[in-house]
Amino acid sequence: MEKEFKFNFEVIDGFEKLQEEDQKLFNTAMDARRKAYAPYSNFLVGCAILLENGEIISGNNQENAAYPSGLCAERTAIFWASANFPNVGIKKLFVIGAPKDAVSFIAIPPCGACRQAILEYESRQNTDVEISFASLEGDIIKTKSIRNLLPFSFDSSML
Ligand code: THU
């Protein structure tokens, strides 16, 4: 029997069409991206997280000469959020990534490992985390839950 997995996502074509809160997250992710430490890949990624208490947290990718020791922007940001605000829910996560000198680039989604890490916190807080990823120009792809990007996900309910 063949089955289908469907999910909804929104495409917003341009920064000016974003709601004010998302414009703020876009700008925060852009600022974080500029401060990324990515001398090996020269691919800079910034992430902004909005918490239920209105706090905005940011992070960027941190690379290492021993390559696998580095960390993506999304996990840098979400681990910091959980370390410092363990009891505050995460509402939104916004990501922007592009090669260092790019002036124009497509919206890049979170990698598989980051999706798994985000899922952990979505499950923990039992409410959705809205995920947005944006091109450098401000074109946005947005979906209501990380589960939409991680079908057949493995979580603590299976342990
Ligand atoms: N990277 C992120 O920070 N987030 C992602 O979701 C994809 C990849 C980083 C890891 C590495 O520093 C660089 O981008 C190239 O893979």
Side-chain angles (χ1 to χ4, degrees), residues 25-64:
L25 291 170
F26 178 91
N27 288 331
T28 306
M30 280 293 251
D31 286 345
R33 180 181 167 270
R34 280 184 213 106
K35 293 181 268 185
Y37 177 62
Y40 305 105
S41 71
N42 282 316
F43 192 86
L44 309 188
V45 186
C47 176
I49 288 177
L50 175 67
L51 300 182
E52 294 284 0
N53 65 2
E55 193 94 27
I56 294 179
I57 278 159
S58 65
N60 44 36
N61 50 333
Q62 296 295 317
E63 296 188 348
N64 193 283

Side-chain angles (χ1 to χ4, degrees), residues 6-21:
K6 279 191 185 171
F7 74 98
N8 294 318
F9 62 97
E10 206 182 326
V11 179
I12 304 160
D13 57 341
F15 177 81
E16 65 291 340
K17 293 188 184 156
L18 288 176
Q19 56 194 94
E20 210 180 308
E21 186 175 83

